Amino acid sequence: MILQISSGQGPAECQLAVSKLYDALKREYPDITLLSSHRPGTGGGCRSLLFSTENDLSGLEGSVQWICQSPFRPNHRRKNWFVDISVIPETEGINKEKNIRFQRFHCGGKGGQNVNKVETGVRLVHIPTGITVTSTLERSQSANRRDAMNKLNGILEQKEWEERQKQVKTAWQEHTGIVRGNPVRVYEGMAFKRKL
Protein backbone atom coordinates (compact mmCIF):
# COMPACT_ATOMS: atom_id res chain seq x y z
CA MET A 1 0.00 0.00 0.00
CA ILE A 2 1.29 3.45 -0.91
CA LEU A 3 0.29 6.51 1.11
CA GLN A 4 1.06 10.21 0.96
CA ILE A 5 1.14 12.70 3.82
CA SER A 6 0.68 16.25 2.53
CA SER A 7 0.63 19.74 4.01
CA GLY A 8 -1.12 21.02 0.88
CA GLN A 9 -0.81 24.79 0.79
CA GLY A 10 -0.31 24.93 4.57
CA PRO A 11 2.37 26.98 6.35
CA ALA A 12 5.63 25.78 7.94
CA GLU A 13 3.70 24.41 10.94
CA CYS A 14 1.78 22.02 8.67
CA GLN A 15 5.02 21.00 6.99
CA LEU A 16 6.50 20.21 10.41
CA ALA A 17 3.36 18.20 11.22
CA VAL A 18 3.97 16.11 8.07
CA SER A 19 7.44 15.12 9.32
CA LYS A 20 6.23 14.48 12.87
CA LEU A 21 3.29 12.37 11.64
CA TYR A 22 5.61 10.30 9.46
CA ASP A 23 7.92 9.68 12.44
CA ALA A 24 4.92 8.71 14.63
CA LEU A 25 3.60 6.29 11.99
CA LYS A 26 7.09 4.84 11.51
CA ARG A 27 7.24 4.04 15.25
CA GLU A 28 3.76 2.49 15.08
CA TYR A 29 4.41 0.54 11.82
CA PRO A 30 8.17 -0.26 11.57
CA ASP A 31 7.88 -1.70 8.03
CA ILE A 32 7.17 1.75 6.52
CA THR A 33 9.56 2.62 3.69
CA LEU A 34 10.01 6.18 2.47
CA LEU A 35 9.62 6.43 -1.32
CA SER A 36 10.01 10.18 -1.86
CA SER A 37 9.80 13.50 -0.06
CA HIS A 38 9.37 17.12 -1.03
CA ARG A 39 11.23 19.35 1.42
CA PRO A 40 10.72 23.13 1.26
CA GLY A 41 13.97 23.85 3.12
CA THR A 42 12.58 25.76 6.11
CA GLY A 43 11.55 24.65 9.59
CA GLY A 44 12.68 21.03 9.25
CA GLY A 45 9.39 19.87 7.76
CA CYS A 46 8.19 18.46 4.46
CA ARG A 47 5.46 19.50 2.07
CA SER A 48 4.76 15.87 1.32
CA LEU A 49 6.05 12.36 1.95
CA LEU A 50 5.26 9.28 -0.10
CA PHE A 51 5.75 5.94 1.65
CA SER A 52 4.82 2.28 1.36
CA THR A 53 3.81 -0.32 3.90
CA GLU A 54 2.51 -3.90 3.96
CA ASN A 55 -0.08 -2.91 6.59
CA ASP A 56 -3.59 -1.82 5.63
CA LEU A 57 -3.62 1.86 6.64
CA SER A 58 -6.66 2.81 4.56
CA GLY A 59 -8.43 3.76 7.82
CA LEU A 60 -5.99 6.66 8.15
CA GLU A 61 -7.13 8.30 4.91
CA GLY A 62 -8.37 11.81 5.66
CA SER A 63 -7.15 14.78 7.66
CA VAL A 64 -4.97 14.63 10.76
CA GLN A 65 -5.05 17.46 13.30
CA TRP A 66 -2.07 18.70 15.29
CA ILE A 67 -2.94 20.91 18.27
CA CYS A 68 0.13 22.94 19.19
CA GLN A 69 1.33 26.50 19.67
CA SER A 70 3.35 27.51 16.62
CA PRO A 71 7.07 26.82 17.12
CA PHE A 72 7.85 29.39 14.40
CA ARG A 73 5.46 32.21 15.42
CA PRO A 74 5.15 32.23 19.24
CA ASN A 75 2.44 34.92 19.38
CA HIS A 76 0.29 33.39 16.65
CA ARG A 77 -3.27 32.68 17.82
CA ARG A 78 -3.80 29.62 15.63
CA LYS A 79 -3.13 26.29 17.37
CA ASN A 80 -4.81 23.81 15.03
CA TRP A 81 -2.81 22.55 12.05
CA PHE A 82 -4.11 20.02 9.52
CA VAL A 83 -2.36 17.63 7.15
CA ASP A 84 -3.82 15.06 4.77
CA ILE A 85 -3.18 11.33 4.40
CA SER A 86 -4.14 9.86 1.02
CA VAL A 87 -3.96 6.33 -0.33
CA ILE A 88 -2.26 6.38 -3.73
CA PRO A 89 -3.25 3.63 -6.18
CA GLU A 90 -0.34 1.30 -6.85
CA THR A 91 0.87 0.59 -10.35
CA GLU A 92 0.69 -3.02 -11.38
CA GLY A 93 4.22 -4.09 -12.18
CA ILE A 94 4.15 -5.59 -15.65
CA ASN A 95 5.97 -8.90 -15.62
CA LYS A 96 7.59 -9.09 -19.03
CA GLU A 97 8.79 -12.68 -18.90
CA LYS A 98 5.82 -14.55 -17.44
CA ASN A 99 2.38 -15.01 -18.94
CA ILE A 100 3.53 -14.85 -22.55
CA ARG A 101 1.95 -17.26 -25.01
CA PHE A 102 4.22 -18.25 -27.90
CA GLN A 103 2.73 -19.25 -31.28
CA ARG A 104 4.38 -20.30 -34.55
CA PHE A 105 2.94 -19.96 -38.03
CA HIS A 106 3.84 -20.22 -41.74
CA CYS A 107 4.54 -16.70 -42.83
CA GLY A 108 4.90 -16.99 -46.61
CA GLY A 109 6.36 -14.26 -48.77
CA LYS A 110 10.05 -13.85 -49.61
CA GLY A 111 12.45 -16.54 -48.45
CA GLY A 112 11.67 -19.37 -50.78
CA GLN A 113 10.49 -22.78 -49.73
CA ASN A 114 11.92 -22.34 -46.19
CA VAL A 115 9.23 -19.84 -45.14
CA ASN A 116 6.50 -21.77 -46.92
CA LYS A 117 7.35 -25.16 -45.39
CA VAL A 118 8.71 -24.23 -41.96
CA GLU A 119 6.84 -22.29 -39.27
CA THR A 120 9.22 -19.32 -39.07
CA GLY A 121 6.69 -16.63 -38.16
CA VAL A 122 6.34 -15.90 -34.43
CA ARG A 123 3.40 -14.42 -32.51
CA LEU A 124 3.73 -13.46 -28.83
CA VAL A 125 0.67 -12.69 -26.71
CA HIS A 126 1.14 -11.03 -23.32
CA ILE A 127 -1.82 -12.62 -21.52
CA PRO A 128 -2.42 -10.04 -18.70
CA THR A 129 -2.61 -7.08 -21.10
CA GLY A 130 -3.74 -8.83 -24.30
CA ILE A 131 -0.94 -7.19 -26.30
CA THR A 132 -0.04 -9.22 -29.40
CA VAL A 133 3.21 -8.86 -31.36
CA THR A 134 4.28 -10.74 -34.50
CA SER A 135 7.56 -11.01 -36.35
CA THR A 136 8.20 -12.45 -39.83
CA LEU A 137 11.31 -10.49 -40.81
CA GLU A 138 13.87 -13.28 -40.54
CA ARG A 139 14.10 -16.77 -42.03
CA SER A 140 14.70 -18.44 -38.67
CA GLN A 141 12.17 -18.86 -35.89
CA SER A 142 14.67 -17.99 -33.13
CA ALA A 143 15.58 -14.68 -34.79
CA ASN A 144 11.89 -13.84 -35.21
CA ARG A 145 11.27 -14.75 -31.57
CA ARG A 146 14.05 -12.37 -30.42
CA ASP A 147 12.63 -9.63 -32.65
CA ALA A 148 9.09 -10.15 -31.29
CA MET A 149 10.38 -10.12 -27.67
CA ASN A 150 12.19 -6.83 -28.30
CA LYS A 151 9.00 -5.31 -29.74
CA LEU A 152 6.89 -6.60 -26.84
CA ASN A 153 9.37 -5.34 -24.21
CA GLY A 154 9.32 -1.89 -25.80
CA ILE A 155 5.52 -1.74 -25.69
CA LEU A 156 5.38 -3.02 -22.08
CA GLU A 157 8.03 -0.54 -20.90
CA GLN A 158 6.02 2.32 -22.44
CA LYS A 159 2.85 1.05 -20.72
CA GLU A 160 4.68 0.79 -17.37
CA TRP A 161 6.02 4.36 -17.75
CA GLU A 162 2.48 5.63 -18.43
CA GLU A 163 1.21 3.87 -15.29
CA ARG A 164 3.95 5.50 -13.16
CA GLN A 165 3.08 8.91 -14.62
CA LYS A 166 -0.57 8.35 -13.72
CA GLN A 167 0.46 7.52 -10.13
CA VAL A 168 2.56 10.71 -9.89
CA LYS A 169 -0.35 12.77 -11.21
CA THR A 170 -2.75 11.22 -8.69
CA ALA A 171 -0.34 11.98 -5.84
CA TRP A 172 0.02 15.58 -7.02
CA GLN A 173 -3.76 16.07 -7.20
CA GLU A 174 -4.13 14.91 -3.59
CA HIS A 175 -2.22 17.99 -2.36
CA THR A 176 -5.34 20.11 -2.75
CA GLY A 177 -7.65 17.68 -0.94
CA ILE A 178 -7.04 18.72 2.68
CA VAL A 179 -10.23 19.05 4.72
CA ARG A 180 -9.88 21.09 7.89
CA GLY A 181 -12.10 19.41 10.44
CA ASN A 182 -13.38 15.92 11.16
CA PRO A 183 -9.86 14.46 11.63
CA VAL A 184 -9.18 10.72 11.64
CA ARG A 185 -6.48 11.28 14.27
CA VAL A 186 -5.49 14.11 16.62
CA TYR A 187 -2.01 14.76 18.02
CA GLU A 188 -1.00 17.30 20.67
CA GLY A 189 2.08 19.32 21.58
CA MET A 190 5.65 19.35 20.30
CA ALA A 191 6.05 15.77 21.58
CA PHE A 192 3.34 14.85 19.02
CA LYS A 193 1.38 12.61 21.41
CA ARG A 194 -1.72 10.98 20.03
CA LYS A 195 -4.95 12.13 21.65
CA LEU A 196 -7.37 9.26 22.08
Side-chain angles (χ1 to χ4, degrees):
M1 164 172 264
I2 297 177
L3 293 103
Q4 175 178 267
I5 306 172
S6 172
S7 66
Q9 304 299 317
E13 291 85 358
C14 292
Q15 295 166 16
L16 181 58
V18 167
S19 295
K20 286 185 169 289
L21 178 58
Y22 175 76
D23 292 339
L25 290 175
K26 183 104 171 121
R27 285 190 298 275
E28 198 173 336
Y29 305 98
D31 77 317
I32 286 177
T33 305
L34 183 65
L35 300 175
S36 68
S37 64
H38 182 256
R39 299 185 184 277
T42 59
C46 293
R47 283 197 194 283
S48 68
L49 291 166
L50 197 67
F51 64 93
S52 66
T53 179
E54 294 298 316
N55 295 296
D56 181 13
L57 301 184
S58 55
L60 290 177
E61 191 166 26
S63 62
V64 173
Q65 181 181 12
W66 179 35
I67 302 169
C68 184
Q69 183 68 43
S70 171
F72 307 114
R73 301 175 280 177
N75 297 326
H76 198 312
R77 287 188 280 168
R78 182 174 168 190
K79 292 180 182 153
N80 294 309
W81 313 100
F82 291 90
V83 296
D84 178 69
I85 297 180
S86 301
V87 176
I88 306 298
E90 292 188 57
T91 59
E92 294 292 323
I94 298 173
N95 192 330
K96 297 173 187 144
E97 299 301 319
K98 287 188 176 178
N99 299 321
I100 295 176
R101 187 171 56 231
F102 169 75
Q103 300 170 340
R104 306 179 297 263
F105 60 92
H106 294 283
C107 56
K110 295 178 184 175
Q113 287 185 349
N114 183 58
V115 294
N116 293 323
K117 285 183 165 184
V118 181
E119 294 179 330
T120 57
V122 172
R123 180 181 297 113
L124 298 179
V125 180
H126 188 250
I127 296 166
T129 59
I131 296 171
T132 303
V133 177
T134 60
S135 179
T136 58
L137 291 175
E138 303 294 330
R139 290 185 62 185
S140 77
Q141 191 181 93
S142 61
N144 281 333
R145 187 176 185 152
R146 274 193 304 275
D147 181 50
M149 262 321 265
N150 288 339
K151 287 179 186 177
L152 183 62
N153 282 336
I155 292 168
L156 293 177
E157 284 171 12
Q158 176 65 27
K159 192 170 180 63
E160 203 170 347
W161 181 84
E162 288 168 2
E163 287 294 317
R164 280 195 306 272
Q165 293 306 310
K166 194 186 315 180
Q167 184 183 42
V168 168
K169 184 178 179 184
T170 300
W172 183 250
Q173 289 172 337
E174 289 296 331
H175 286 291
T176 59
I178 293 180
V179 176
R180 282 147 180 63
N182 198 19
V184 293
R185 280 194 180 186
V186 178
Y187 291 87
E188 289 184 305
M190 282 303 289
F192 212 73
K193 295 217 177 206
R194 185 173 172 194
K195 184 178 178 182
L196 300 173

